[in-house]
Amino acid sequence: MKTQLTENQEKVLNLMKEKYPNGAFADEIAEGEGLVVASVRATLTSLATKGLLDKTKDIYEGKEKTKYIVK
């Protein structure tokens, strides 16, 4: 059964696959794409909940943050 994704989820998932195949942080994607960090973070979290992304903790700009990686 194919998981239904919102337009936003599809956009962010495609960005992850095309530009960030080795993983990325919400802040990094938002800055690179001119998007709102909170919105990107929420979308990444929802994709992880659907089992489409893995999450890990890593350091980004000196702070521990969640890094998302395409499965």
Side-chain angles (χ1 to χ4, degrees), residues 4-24:
Q4 288 292 338
L5 299 178
T6 66
E7 190 176 320
N8 233 12
Q9 287 172 324
E10 284 187 20
K11 178 180 173 184
V12 172
L13 185 59
N14 285 334
L15 268 175
M16 288 291 296
K17 288 178 180 176
E18 292 168 17
K19 293 188 175 181
Y20 307 98
N22 297 319

Side-chain angles (χ1 to χ4, degrees), residues 30-56:
E31 288 167 14
E33 304 301 322
L35 302 169
V36 178
V37 175
S39 174
V40 172
R41 187 176 292 118
T43 304
L44 289 168
T45 300
S46 69
L47 289 167
T49 303
K50 290 181 180 285
L52 298 170
L53 300 177
D54 282 329
K55 297 190 313 186
T56 185

